[in-house]
Amino acid sequence: MDRIDKLLARIPKKHRWQLFETLACLHNPACRALLHAEKLSGSKSLYRTRTGRYRIFFHVNEHDQAIVDDIRPRNEKTYRGI
């Protein structure tokens, strides 16, 4: 089990399904455009998208595949260390 799977296991079911839908959409380039992902300032290739109370941080590799780096709840510490 990798780090993202462990994190998803700790999230309440209601929010987990929202995240699963967004993660599925991230892997489709046409659908990814509809998520309104924003590029993080100070980073060359890191993006974030909102899903309820959570933020999904990801980057896109040279094959146009989204790689999820982190999922964090939205609070005052969300963007620290990114």
Side-chain angles (χ1 to χ4, degrees), residues 18-36:
Q18 291 174 339
L19 289 170
F20 282 145
E21 289 175 355
T22 303
L23 290 172
C25 193
L26 275 177
H27 296 293
N28 180 351
C31 186
R32 190 181 318 139
L34 300 174
L35 291 177
H36 304 291

Side-chain angles (χ1 to χ4, degrees), residues 46-64:
L46 196 61
Y47 296 86
R48 71 112 173 113
T49 187
R50 299 183 212 181
T51 302
R53 294 180 34 214
Y54 293 88
R55 302 299 181 258
I56 299 173
F57 298 97
F58 66 96
H59 67 275
V60 179
N61 67 9
E62 62 275 356
H63 303 293
D64 202 28

Side-chain angles (χ1 to χ4, degrees), residues 6 12 18 31 33 44 55 69 72:
K6 287 181 183 180
Q18 291 174 339
C31 186
K44 291 184 179 183
R55 302 299 181 258
D69 296 312
R72 295 183 180 187

